[in-house]
Amino acid sequence: VLALNGKITQVGEKILASNGKEVDFASALKSCEEAGGTIATPTNEEENKAILSIVKQYNRYAYLGIKEGETSGQFKSINGTPLNYTKWHRYEPNGKGKEKCVEMYTDGSWNDRKCNLYRLTVCEF
């Protein structure tokens, strides 16, 4: 369960929180769901900045709630909705079906990445 020791940010209707743990995508998703939320998915610049503030606090890349769909190179939010907002790093996404998860860099830009790497858990509620 998420121990929320001061790492909570509110943005719009969302509350963002991190437990400071670095785990693979499936484990991050599971811990967010067990706490009653899901992995943080920015839908606008304001939310991206709020997630970035947590990423910067820990100085760790974080998984976002975005995965590659059936079509190579086409990413969707994990609830299946299309992305109306993206902040890909230059030349990303470039994994072409091999990198199905998305991480946020410490500058707020996104990169497609394999799902088995250990990244910071950031949840939204």
Side-chain angles (χ1 to χ4, degrees):
V1 178
L2 231 48
L4 305 174
N5 39 9
K7 306 297 184 194
I8 304 174
T9 306
Q10 185 166 1
V11 55
E13 300 292 299
K14 292 181 181 180
I15 296 193
L16 302 172
S18 177
N19 57 8
K21 294 198 169 86
E22 289 183 85
V23 293
D24 63 27
F25 183 85
S27 303
L29 180 59
K30 187 167 179 269
S31 59
C32 288
E33 287 176 343
E34 282 172 356
T38 189
I39 292 190
T41 311
T43 59
N44 57 45
E45 185 67 22
E46 188 188 8
E47 290 177 7
N48 204 72
K49 283 191 176 127
I51 296 166
L52 176 61
S53 72
I54 294 173
V55 164
K56 282 185 166 166
Q57 269 179 340
Y58 289 100
N59 197 26
R60 297 278 182 272
Y61 295 175
Y63 278 126
L64 297 176
I66 300 168
K67 287 192 88 172
E68 192 167 31
E70 302 303 304
T71 314
S72 177
Q74 190 179 54
F75 287 81
K76 293 179 182 161
S77 120
I78 47 173
N79 66 13
T81 57
L83 301 177
N84 296 321
Y85 167 84
T86 59
K87 191 157 185 144
W88 293 109
H89 196 73
R90 196 167 172 197
Y91 308 124
E92 300 295 343
N94 64 6
K96 297 183 183 65
K98 290 190 171 60
E99 299 177 329
K100 294 200 170 291
C101 286
V102 177
E103 66 185 357
M104 179 184 281
Y105 286 153
T106 48
D107 68 356
S109 65
W110 306 354
N111 171 39
D112 56 335
R113 208 60 206 253
K114 286 188 163 62
C115 301
N116 61 351
L117 299 164
Y118 281 53
R119 293 291 179 261
L120 182 65
T121 304
V122 181
C123 305
E124 68 177 43
F125 303 93

